[in-house]
Amino acid sequence: MLSRGNTAPIFYRILSRFPPGFSFCFAYGSGVKQQLGYDTIRSKRNMIDLIYTVDNPTRWHTANLDLNFDHYSGMRLLGGNVIARFQENLGARVYFNTLVHLPEEDVIIKYGVVSTKDLLEDLIEWRCLYLAGRLHKPVEIIRNASSSKIQNAMEQNLRSALHAALLMLPEKFTEFELYRAISNLSYAGDFRMIFGENKNKVNNIVRPQIENFRNLYASSIAEQRHCLELPMNGSDNQICTQDVSEAAILAHLNGLPRWPIRRIVERQTSGRYRQDTEDILIGVSRSSNYRAIVARCLRSIVWTSSVWQSIKNIPTAGASKAVRYSWAKALKTFS
């Protein structure tokens, strides 16, 4: 289960500076969860990344403009309604304010706003594999989901991630390789990994958080005991074994969300003629190339959403902040 742990008081103080009405809120990134290459979490040089999920983006942005007008770029002059439409109709359907300095806490934050309906769609269907990808990894839950729909969608997202990762892996692998495959689902295909991110980012995320990954995926792994043997002896280098029969592969394919399945069908048919989806998935399960087929389809989803979201972030950040943020990201490429 995804649940809130011993959340640091600073997060509650940060939330108190924003309009109420979140249906869900979480923090992520190197400023929240330990990553290799960072001495400590929540150090002043690590920006805190937050996602606010709201039921009514227009109302929330309008209220936030009253409270935090300076957080926004020049788009603030367009008002909450235009900002909400910009959020919900472009990219990964998230609106980010970045490099926001909170002097009372002496921290810098970046926060994204997403509507509840768009978060649910990404978690369940992987339309963008953007916030769904962030929630494949351990995060800090600051405001627990107010709706069972969100909680259930997050759990379904984890099950989907396990199915996808097992499709990426061979018959034998280590526990570390499993969590690395899960974490890599939303990074493979992200154009920022070409320029703007540390090339060891996935390893740096997984290595110090093995225990958190174990807790996060315990229920999903237990559901796959019939086809997955995962030794639980405390070592992440023990060999794990999975069933790679056609039946097991087909079950994992059917466990993928709607948008990856849709991409697989489109690529396998190439528009020549219509076939039943199940027949196409059966054909993929029998192919020696099924890993590459699935990987290519997942990468295409991530590539599209990451490109358009990054383009979208330029006007929401403003020219000055966009340059500063991009430069900081570029430095990680060589760190």
Side-chain angles (χ1 to χ4, degrees):
M1 294 284 287
L2 289 165
S3 61
R4 184 176 61 196
N6 296 320
T7 305
I10 186 174
F11 291 121
Y12 298 122
R13 295 197 299 270
I14 290 173
L15 258 62
S16 71
R17 305 181 190 284
F18 291 88
F22 314 126
S23 55
F24 177 54
C25 180
F26 68 92
Y28 65 97
S30 60
V32 179
K33 294 293 184 181
Q34 182 65 55
Q35 294 183 22
L36 296 183
Y38 295 90
D39 294 333
T40 60
I41 59 174
R42 301 188 193 114
S43 68
K44 292 181 181 178
R45 69 189 184 95
N46 291 351
M47 184 166 61
I48 295 175
D49 298 281
L50 302 119
I51 295 292
Y52 298 152
T53 306
V54 300
D55 291 334
N56 189 318
T58 297
R59 184 183 305 155
W60 194 89
H61 281 296
T62 300
N64 197 39
L65 284 166
D66 290 337
L67 285 176
N68 300 301
F69 190 72
D70 60 322
H71 290 187
Y72 290 80
S73 67
M75 290 194 66
R76 60 194 175 191
L77 301 176
L78 301 176
N81 186 45
V82 172
I83 289 173
R85 291 207 306 271
F86 189 72
Q87 170 192 310
E88 294 185 285
N89 291 293
L90 294 171
R93 301 178 179 181
V94 187
Y95 187 100
F96 281 103
N97 285 324
T98 191
L99 296 176
V100 175
H101 182 225
L102 300 181
E104 302 87 351
E105 305 297 339
D106 195 19
V107 296
I108 295 175
I109 68 171
K110 178 182 76 175
Y111 63 94
V113 183
V114 64
S115 72
T116 302
K117 63 179 178 60
D118 287 334
L119 175 65
L120 287 171
E121 183 181 36
D122 200 32
L123 290 172
I124 295 170
E125 299 187 359
W126 286 11
R127 184 182 189 277
C128 301
L129 197 45
Y130 193 82
L131 295 182
R134 280 156 177 75
L135 287 164
H136 288 165
K137 299 171 278 289
V139 299
E140 187 83 10
I141 305 296
I142 302 172
R143 179 72 56 82
N144 271 324
S146 60
S147 166
S148 61
K149 288 184 179 179
I150 297 178
Q151 184 68 38
N152 292 338
M154 289 193 294
E155 292 169 3
Q156 181 174 333
N157 182 46
L158 297 179
R159 289 193 293 270
S160 298
L162 182 59
H163 283 300
L166 290 174
L167 285 167
M168 299 293 102
L169 291 165
E171 182 177 6
K172 296 184 182 297
F173 51 89
T174 66
E175 185 184 18
F176 172 77
E177 289 170 334
L178 171 62
Y179 301 138
R180 184 175 62 188
I182 288 172
S183 298
N184 197 50
L185 294 173
S186 58
Y187 284 118
D190 190 332
F191 90 101
R192 295 172 300 175
M193 296 300 291
I194 300 172
F195 179 81
E197 283 289 2
N198 187 320
K199 297 301 184 291
N200 294 316
K201 186 177 182 68
V202 176
N203 284 351
N204 292 348
I205 289 172
V206 177
R207 185 63 72 185
Q209 293 196 71
I210 290 293
E211 194 59 37
N212 289 332
F213 274 97
R214 284 174 180 155
N215 294 334
L216 190 61
Y217 282 92
S219 296
S220 298
I221 289 172
E223 292 174 359
Q224 297 299 317
R225 288 299 183 193
H226 61 284
C227 64
L228 174 62
E229 182 182 340
L230 187 67
M232 292 295 186
N233 59 3
S235 171
D236 61 5
N237 289 317
Q238 290 295 311
I239 298 300
C240 310
T241 305
Q242 68 162 322
D243 181 357
V244 290
S245 66
E246 290 179 8
I249 294 165
L250 180 60
H252 293 317
L253 289 169
N254 279 308
L256 294 175
R258 176 189 169 197
W259 278 84
I261 290 178
R262 177 176 173 177
R263 292 291 179 98
I264 290 171
V265 170
E266 289 173 350
R267 286 183 178 273
Q268 292 303 106
T269 59
S270 301
R272 293 189 301 271
Y273 55 89
R274 297 188 63 84
Q275 283 181 268
D276 181 74
T277 296
E278 187 66 14
D279 289 340
I280 294 172
L281 295 183
I282 290 172
V284 173
S285 72
R286 293 172 176 172
S287 170
S288 60
N289 201 34
Y290 71 87
R291 292 188 184 92
I293 294 171
V294 175
R296 186 165 56 247
C297 292
L298 292 174
R299 284 198 303 269
S300 69
I301 294 173
V302 174
W303 173 265
T304 302
S305 65
S306 67
V307 168
W308 284 109
Q309 183 64 39
S310 294
I311 293 171
K312 175 182 177 178
N313 288 346
I314 295 173
T316 66
S320 175
K321 284 185 177 180
V323 170
R324 288 163 55 198
Y325 183 73
S326 298
W327 177 248
K329 283 287 188 181
L331 290 178
K332 292 183 180 180
T333 306
F334 307 104
S335 63

